[in-house]
Amino acid sequence: MATIFDCSDPTGLLTGMRLARVAIGRGELVVLPTDTVYGLAADAFSPEAVQRLLDAKGRTRQSPPPVLIPGIPTLDALAEAVPDEVRALVAEFWPGGLTVILPARESLKWDLGDTDGTVALRMPNNFYALELLSETGPLAVSSANLTGEQAATTVQDAERMLGESVSVYLDGGEAGTDYEAGAGTGSTIVDATGLLTEGGTLRIVRHGVISEEAINAVLDSVRESGTTESGEGPS
């Protein structure tokens, strides 16, 4: 039976993190808190683990999971190109509730599903999530719920839906309370691949905790500064 570890207790945190690292290394699933909702995590570089994540949620390969990363430098390691507008957005909103879709590096040895060569990246604003990511590296993470159900905002909600499909549950308290949008609202997802073509634009795929107005304010600032060049980041 999977165990819930209370991260507010030093012993629970130490034991839970250790077992979560082991579970990820074995290709198993872990539930962890993020700043928006609870997430169901798997090793992003293990196709079997990613498939196990999709199966646990009742999803198909047509719904590939986003990838959570421990810091902004990982952005360049996983994305083939990073437009200046995206650099401004992550400088403003990371760590936080913004997920950015970019072309994935062709050299990456992973299989997240039917991504059309893209990857959705986010750096969460949650201590426990970042602590685990710093030790495991990028994780494929989708909301910790069954498809069609409400996203879990507590570890108990996640455990009720996912049960024994998860090896370790990390309890970080209620998720999503730091955003005006309220608990249960996911990250805002933007597709930035269009910015890599001349005259292309950024598209909001899903509205979430970061408002469209806040995103547009950053984009307007970049345009007004006149610093946008080719849109390609360092190789």
Side-chain angles (χ1 to χ4, degrees):
M1 181 175 179
T3 303
I4 295 176
F5 295 93
D6 182 2
C7 292
S8 66
D9 173 70
T11 301
L13 176 60
L14 185 65
T15 304
M17 283 291 181
R18 177 175 58 82
L19 294 179
R21 291 195 303 271
V22 171
I24 293 295
R26 290 176 174 171
E28 298 170 0
L29 303 182
V30 170
V31 161
L32 74 166
T34 79
D35 49 314
T36 53
V37 297
Y38 270 76
L40 178 64
D43 181 358
F45 294 95
S46 168
E48 295 80 11
V50 173
Q51 186 60 54
R52 188 171 288 119
L53 183 156
L54 296 174
D55 291 343
K57 285 180 61 72
R59 281 191 169 185
T60 66
R61 288 175 54 82
Q62 285 69 48
S63 300
V67 174
L68 296 191
I69 60 177
I72 292 178
T74 312
L75 183 65
D76 288 306
L78 301 182
E80 188 67 36
V82 183
D84 290 340
E85 293 94 335
V86 170
R87 295 193 185 280
L89 287 170
V90 301
E92 179 71 21
F93 299 119
W94 280 10
L98 181 71
T99 299
V100 182
I101 299 173
L102 289 166
R105 285 195 177 274
E106 295 182 4
S107 60
L108 290 173
K109 304 299 182 184
W110 61 12
D111 182 5
L112 298 171
D114 297 340
T115 64
D116 293 323
T118 65
V119 61
L121 299 169
R122 182 163 91 90
M123 179 187 177
N125 189 18
N126 179 277
F127 172 81
Y128 306 119
L130 291 173
E131 184 73 13
L132 184 60
L133 287 162
S134 70
E135 299 186 17
T136 63
L139 293 174
V141 180
S142 186
S143 57
N145 59 279
L146 296 175
T147 298
E149 297 287 337
Q150 190 75 16
T153 58
T154 68
V155 76
Q156 289 78 18
D157 289 339
E159 196 274 338
R160 174 180 55 81
M161 288 184 277
L162 299 171
E164 294 302 306
S165 64
V166 175
S167 296
V168 177
Y169 288 87
L170 299 177
D171 184 3
E174 186 177 7
T177 57
D178 293 335
Y179 292 102
E180 292 183 4
T185 305
S187 66
T188 298
I189 303 177
V190 298
D191 185 347
T193 57
L195 294 171
L196 297 168
T197 60
E198 187 173 354
T201 59
L202 178 141
R203 179 171 63 93
I204 296 180
V205 176
R206 184 182 74 184
H207 292 272
V209 295
I210 306 297
S211 70
E212 182 174 357
E213 292 76 17
I215 290 171
N216 287 334
V218 174
L219 297 178
D220 289 343
S221 177
V222 173
R223 296 187 192 104
E224 290 169 4
S225 70
T227 59
T228 303
E229 298 174 355
S230 65
E232 295 209 355
S235 60

